[in-house]
Amino acid sequence: MRALLLIGSPRKGTSLRLGEALLAGLQEQGLATEEYYLVQGLAQGWGELKSAVERADLLILSSPLYVDSLPAPTIAALEFLADKAAGKKMAAILNCGFPEPFHNATALKICRQFARRAGCTWLGGMSLSMGGFSLGKGLSRRVRISVKLAAKALAQGEVIPDRAVHLAARKPIPKWLYLLILNRVFQKVVKKHGKAPIDAQPYSH
């Protein structure tokens, strides 16, 4: 069996690290793996993606949340694959910068709906919040465990277990601390790039 990682972010960040960790787990289970950055399709056409999907048995989407939905390259890729992925198995890992993982819920439903309409077998998804804070310099222990559990199930063609989903969704640090850190980062950015007050609400009038 071959797994194809569809990377929904143009950056080599959280989505790539999560996806590659899952691929490593699948490799340990004996699966062949492959990676594809979805942003390539917008610039180079979708021919390479079509070929990669044809070779794969399992499709894994690893993507960030942009505001409240999937990034444009990811949506474009799913639209392209809507009639080309029948018979494949599919799973997703979504991550967002919000303090709560439930912000990924709508995007995960979109992935599940795509799988149903495309004729794929939906094997579930995992949702992480607070962006890179869920990883640190390396994957945190809970993320490593959740990815390992997910890989073991996916390699057998089974749905991602609830324990893996719940572990992935746990907040890495308290919400108040996360917001404190973010606000300090934003203040530094504003100080460096502009003088507008960080709490300005120009559209409220």
Side-chain angles (χ1 to χ4, degrees):
M1 190 157 88
R2 174 181 290 270
L4 172 63
L5 175 64
L6 304 173
I7 306 163
S9 172
R11 297 166 42 190
K12 295 183 178 180
T14 302
S15 296
L16 176 64
R17 293 171 66 188
L18 287 170
E20 289 190 333
L22 184 53
L23 288 192
L26 292 172
Q27 290 166 6
E28 291 178 1
Q29 298 293 322
L31 273 67
T33 63
E34 193 173 353
E35 299 177 7
Y36 182 85
Y37 276 93
L38 296 179
V39 71
Q40 293 177 217
L42 293 179
Q44 305 170 9
W46 301 108
E48 187 177 338
L49 174 60
K50 181 175 181 292
S51 299
V53 169
E54 289 174 349
R55 293 190 295 270
D57 304 288
L58 171 63
L59 307 179
I60 300 168
L61 173 64
S62 184
S63 175
L65 193 74
Y66 279 12
V67 185
D68 61 355
S69 189
L70 298 169
T74 302
I75 294 173
L78 294 181
E79 290 174 344
F80 171 77
L81 293 174
D83 60 349
K84 300 174 181 65
K88 310 294 182 181
K89 298 177 177 64
M90 182 176 177
I93 312 177
L94 301 185
N95 68 90
C96 70
F98 292 106
E100 308 88 1
F102 69 75
H103 291 281
N104 292 318
T106 298
L108 273 176
K109 289 179 181 178
I110 291 172
C111 294
R112 184 179 64 191
Q113 179 72 353
F114 163 81
R116 187 179 72 83
R117 291 290 186 91
C120 298
T121 301
W122 176 245
L123 298 183
M126 297 194 297
S127 176
L128 289 85
S129 62
M130 299 189 182
F133 280 82
S134 286
L135 305 183
K137 294 182 179 179
L139 268 66
S140 66
R141 181 174 180 274
R142 67 175 180 85
V143 175
R144 289 199 308 270
I145 294 173
S146 66
V147 167
K148 187 174 182 178
L149 290 170
K152 186 175 180 180
L154 293 174
Q156 301 300 319
E158 298 173 354
V159 175
I160 296 173
D162 289 342
R163 184 169 179 237
V165 174
H166 293 153
L167 280 172
R170 278 170 49 182
K171 299 182 183 70
I173 59 176
K175 179 178 177 178
W176 68 265
L177 178 58
Y178 180 68
L179 294 177
L180 177 65
I181 294 170
L182 280 192
N183 282 331
R184 288 184 175 177
V185 170
F186 291 153
Q187 287 168 358
K188 288 182 179 179
V189 171
V190 169
K191 186 176 180 180
K192 181 178 180 179
H193 297 287
K195 297 181 179 180
I198 197 167
D199 58 349
Q201 301 180 27
Y203 297 107
S204 63
H205 304 293

